[in-house]
Amino acid sequence: MVEKELQKTESVTAAEKIRNVKTFIPRVDIYETKESIFLIADMPGVDDKTVEIELEKNILTITGWVEDGGLKDHSLLFSEYEAGDYERSFTLSDEIDREKINATVKQGVLSLELPKAEKVKPKKIAIKAA
């Protein structure tokens, strides 16, 4: 189950912050198959150059940043979107194969595939006739 493989942590290390901007906790959908766990994080404005993923010990940390998206030579009349940083951390169990984690980002949506280790994948047991 997802609760065993992945645990959300809400603590953000304020001591490492060097930018004076708002930090948002991105919303994440988590899906599970027999082979992997998938994290889909909504991080508007982030691309492959402005997102980092670190895995230290059992903590997977997603960090992204968005610069002011204002257009040059234009005046902003109304805005529903705030630029800022994103940060979210998850605690991984030993049931995730750390060497095979895969990440992609497209149009501000970060997708992570966390493959399960071979030892935790479901197996069918063959039955022999006696």
Side-chain angles (χ1 to χ4, degrees), residues 2 10 13 16 19 27 42 47 55 66 72-73 114 130:
V2 171
E10 291 294 337
T13 308
E16 295 183 20
R19 289 170 41 99
R27 295 183 181 264
D42 191 21
D47 61 22
L55 179 59
V66 178
K72 293 181 182 181
D73 301 326
L114 308 168

Side-chain angles (χ1 to χ4, degrees), residues 1-128:
M1 243 190 150
V2 171
E3 291 83 22
K4 288 196 307 187
E5 287 90 14
L6 191 65
Q7 183 179 34
K8 180 173 74 166
T9 59
E10 291 294 337
S11 63
V12 175
T13 308
E16 295 183 20
K17 296 280 182 205
I18 57 173
R19 289 170 41 99
N20 190 20
V21 297
K22 283 188 177 182
T23 301
F24 302 99
I25 297 173
R27 295 183 181 264
V28 174
D29 291 335
I30 301 172
Y31 301 94
E32 181 178 21
T33 66
K34 292 179 183 178
E35 303 291 320
S36 299
I37 294 175
F38 295 89
L39 265 81
I40 312 298
D42 191 21
M43 301 169 71
V46 168
D47 61 22
D48 60 328
K49 295 170 188 67
T50 59
V51 66
E52 291 180 354
I53 303 165
E54 289 186 3
L55 179 59
E56 186 174 343
K57 298 184 182 178
N58 287 339
I59 306 296
L60 179 78
T61 303
I62 300 168
T63 307
W65 54 96
V66 178
E67 299 299 329
D68 182 15
L71 300 172
K72 293 181 182 181
D73 301 326
H74 289 80
S75 299
L76 181 65
L77 296 178
F78 180 75
S79 176
E80 292 183 343
Y81 172 78
E82 287 185 77
D85 293 350
Y86 298 97
E87 187 168 334
R88 185 130 181 210
S89 296
F90 298 89
T91 302
L92 301 183
S93 74
D94 292 334
E95 296 178 3
I96 300 297
D97 187 343
R98 284 146 172 73
E99 300 301 319
K100 295 182 181 176
I101 294 174
N102 184 28
T104 58
V105 64
K106 182 177 180 183
Q107 297 180 344
V109 178
L110 176 67
S111 300
L112 279 163
E113 180 181 4
L114 308 168
K116 294 179 183 177
E118 289 296 323
K119 65 182 179 183
V120 298
K121 290 182 183 175
K123 296 180 183 176
K124 293 231 180 203
I125 307 299
I127 301 172
K128 298 178 185 175

